[in-house]
Amino acid sequence: MAVENVEVEETGGVTEAVTTMAVRYYAVAPGVRLNVRSGPSTNYPVIRVLPEGAHVAIFCQRPGETVTGPYGTSKIWDNISQGEYVSDAYVNTGSDGYVASRCL
């Protein structure tokens, strides 16, 4: 994700700098319907299933269960929405490491 500064003019001619986040989307492995779980492990319940051809925004990442998928073996889990995680081994981030900040 990239951080951008945008200037906004308010009433009365006062200008204030506002920080915004540009969200980057990553492709899920081709031909995969990916389980979205409530935590960073296959032991957590499936909340929903992403369709083939899905793209996901990664808001933060955290370590969890090691999973092997189309993009290798990884213990990184991607937070794609509040309380929703997918294994990074199924997301084409172009990296074997973290591409977003660690989840708190």
Side-chain angles (χ1 to χ4, degrees), residues 34-39 41-50:
L34 186 58
N35 289 335
V36 178
R37 298 183 178 272
S38 62
S41 166
T42 58
N43 293 326
Y44 284 89
V46 174
I47 298 172
R48 62 186 174 114
V49 179
L50 297 176

Side-chain angles (χ1 to χ4, degrees), residues 11-98:
T11 306
V14 177
T15 302
E16 177 182 335
V18 177
T19 302
T20 60
M21 298 297 280
V23 177
R24 180 168 177 197
Y25 287 84
Y26 299 90
V28 171
V32 171
R33 294 181 69 234
L34 186 58
N35 289 335
V36 178
R37 298 183 178 272
S38 62
S41 166
T42 58
N43 293 326
Y44 284 89
V46 174
I47 298 172
R48 62 186 174 114
V49 179
L50 297 176
E52 291 182 27
H55 287 75
V56 294
I58 299 175
F59 296 101
C60 63
Q61 296 175 298
R62 66 184 299 177
E65 177 186 359
T66 300
V67 173
T68 299
Y71 299 114
T73 300
S74 179
K75 67 177 183 177
I76 299 172
W77 285 72
D78 305 329
N79 175 253
I80 62 168
S81 187
Q82 186 172 357
E84 296 187 355
Y85 293 87
V86 295
S87 171
D88 196 63
Y90 285 86
V91 180
N92 187 7
T93 62
S95 174
D96 290 337
Y98 288 86

